[in-house]
Amino acid sequence: MKSYRVQIGSLWRDLPVVEVAPGTSVALFNMLGDTEATEQAAALLASKIPPTVQVLVTPEVKALPLAHAISRISGLPYIVIRKTQKPYMVHPVVREVISITTGKPQLLVLDGLDVPKIQSHRVAIVDDVVSSGGTLTSLSEIIGSVGGDVVAVLAVFTEGAERPEILSLGHLPLFH
Amino acid sequence: MAYTLTVGAVSRQLQPVQVSATKSLLLIELLGDTELTNAVADAMVALVPPGCDLIFTVATSAIPLAHALSERTGLPYLVARKRRRTYMDHPLIQEVESMTLGVGETLWLDGRHVERVRGKKAVLLTDVVVSGSTLAAMARLVERAGGVVVGRLAAFARTGATDLGDISAVATLPKS
């Protein structure tokens, strides 16, 4: 199988290249279960966080261990934007986004209980891979709509188009 | 009624939330709570059966705990997902027979992960155990992947909701 080699700190990982749409393949980066790579990426990304940041916001699912580890290292709390609305949520804030990996509409949901932790706070978004930026745009909209100020975006990798404004550790190409 | 949960040096006031017309549950959330996640992981290390090869968990809310437990024990962890992901290759699919929700749930294990379970001793990990039905489905997945379940761990168990059997929990919660 075709693979693509990446470096995370002192580690090397061979990512499987998988087709996600006819004629388009991506290097599949899934840090879930890779505790060593998560910890190294978290340490490197934590050192890039602008000093004014007060809270981290992350979408579920794959970036959760990364957000936890960055939170532990930096001492900043993290808030999770969910992909489904839960019965226990109070006044949730909901946005829809089209996902590049699934091609389907995807919900992003912020529990109303978490709104005060974002309102009037400077936020860094944490994700594993930022690709088309669809998720990022919707996350920024949700955060902005409840009065948070996104001052940084942290990602292990950017993908597709180069995005110098994102604080990342590397770049993944799209394969055509 | 609110309930004070204490794990190690960390205490949280849990509030009851109405989940149906007749039922309320104490809301406990590890996602976004780095301190509580780490306290639970610290307490859980002693509950991990000796000789175990990997931690097997399910998305979403136990994922940061799985990472923290992996970090402390050096054991790798694997995550079964609740939805099919496009990148999955020959996934194992397992229905959950849920007694609490009355609606079925499905667990998906990527074929790439199936190979990592084969011949291995796995400890199952979940955040809150209510009926044990998710743990039962997780056990079935591990067995179908050719692994052996050597233990079942939960951060929290709701007392009275189930006969815990061989499940080890860090803390128990009253029913409501």
Side-chain angles (χ1 to χ4, degrees):
Chain A
M1 192 177 23
K2 201 178 161 190
S3 67
Y4 183 75
R5 178 161 286 195
V6 294
Q7 185 172 18
I8 301 165
S10 64
L11 306 171
W12 294 90
R13 292 290 183 262
D14 290 308
L15 311 182
V17 174
V18 299
E19 193 169 62
V20 290
T24 302
S25 297
V26 299
L28 183 65
F29 179 60
N30 188 347
M31 263 198 308
L32 279 184
D34 194 340
T35 307
E36 211 182 1
T38 302
E39 284 293 323
Q40 289 220 13
L44 291 168
L45 287 172
S47 70
K48 291 174 183 277
I49 301 174
T52 57
V53 168
Q54 297 166 302
V55 60
L56 309 170
V57 171
T58 191
E60 65 174 346
V61 176
K62 293 210 312 296
L64 286 176
L66 180 69
H68 168 87
I70 295 177
S71 166
R72 192 198 70 234
I73 293 165
S74 66
L76 297 170
Y78 76 98
I79 288 164
V80 181
I81 307 253
R82 307 299 302 260
K83 289 184 172 168
T84 50
Q85 198 167 325
K86 308 290 176 190
Y88 54 77
M89 288 180 172
V90 182
H91 303 303
V93 183
V94 184
R95 286 285 182 286
E96 200 176 86
V97 58
I98 306 290
S99 164
I100 188 176
T101 41
T102 64
K104 290 177 189 158
Q106 172 70 65
L107 284 188
L108 294 175
V109 187
L110 173 66
D111 190 347
L113 290 175
D114 287 329
V115 167
K117 303 172 194 164
I118 292 180
Q119 192 168 37
S120 307
H121 284 69
R122 286 180 298 275
V123 176
I125 294 174
V126 175
D127 207 348
D128 54 348
V129 178
V130 172
S131 190
S132 69
T135 302
L136 188 59
T137 305
S138 297
L139 285 173
S140 302
E141 279 176 19
I142 288 186
I143 293 164
S145 73
V146 300
D149 182 15
V150 177
V151 296
V153 178
L154 307 168
V156 183
F157 296 112
T158 52
E159 183 177 63
E162 300 270 359
R163 292 169 155 266
E165 74 281 13
I166 291 171
L167 303 172
S168 74
L169 305 181
H171 184 75
L172 303 174
L174 289 174
F175 302 84
H176 296 287
Chain B
M1 221 174 76
Y3 174 80
T4 305
L5 168 80
T6 303
V7 180
V10 178
S11 289
R12 293 289 181 265
Q13 279 283 116
L14 309 185
Q15 301 296 333
V17 288
Q18 200 79 23
V19 290
S20 73
T22 55
K23 211 171 162 190
S24 72
L25 288 175
L26 286 166
L27 186 60
I28 177 80
E29 184 62 272
L30 287 174
L31 283 188
D33 196 335
T34 311
E35 224 184 17
L36 182 59
T37 301
N38 284 337
V40 170
D42 284 340
M44 214 173 229
V45 171
L47 304 178
V48 176
C52 136
D53 301 309
L54 64 91
I55 299 162
F56 190 86
T57 193
V58 66
T60 302
S61 39
I63 291 177
L65 176 63
H67 172 87
L69 191 60
S70 165
E71 204 199 337
R72 282 157 177 76
T73 58
L75 297 172
Y77 71 95
L78 289 177
V79 181
R81 305 293 296 264
K82 286 185 176 169
R83 262 170 283 175
R84 187 189 180 114
R85 315 309 301 171
T86 40
Y87 54 75
M88 285 182 174
D89 187 24
H90 297 89
L92 277 186
I93 305 162
Q94 181 66 46
E95 297 297 325
V96 180
E97 286 169 35
S98 176
M99 290 176 273
T100 42
L101 300 173
V103 285
E105 221 175 24
T106 308
L107 304 185
W108 300 78
L109 186 67
D110 190 356
R112 298 178 185 89
H113 289 167
V114 171
E115 292 162 27
R116 292 174 54 191
V117 177
R118 194 167 299 139
K120 295 286 167 52
K121 297 190 186 79
V123 62
L124 308 182
L125 172 66
T126 186
D127 59 339
V128 183
V129 60
V130 183
S131 70
S133 57
T134 302
L135 280 170
M138 290 160 71
R140 192 73 197 105
L141 259 190
V142 168
E143 286 155 10
R144 288 175 56 206
V148 181
V149 175
V150 294
R152 298 164 198 246
L153 303 179
F156 312 109
R158 294 195 195 277
T159 55
T162 181
D163 170 17
L164 284 183
D166 61 350
I167 300 168
S168 304
V170 167
T172 51
L173 303 176
K175 264 171 113 174
S176 60

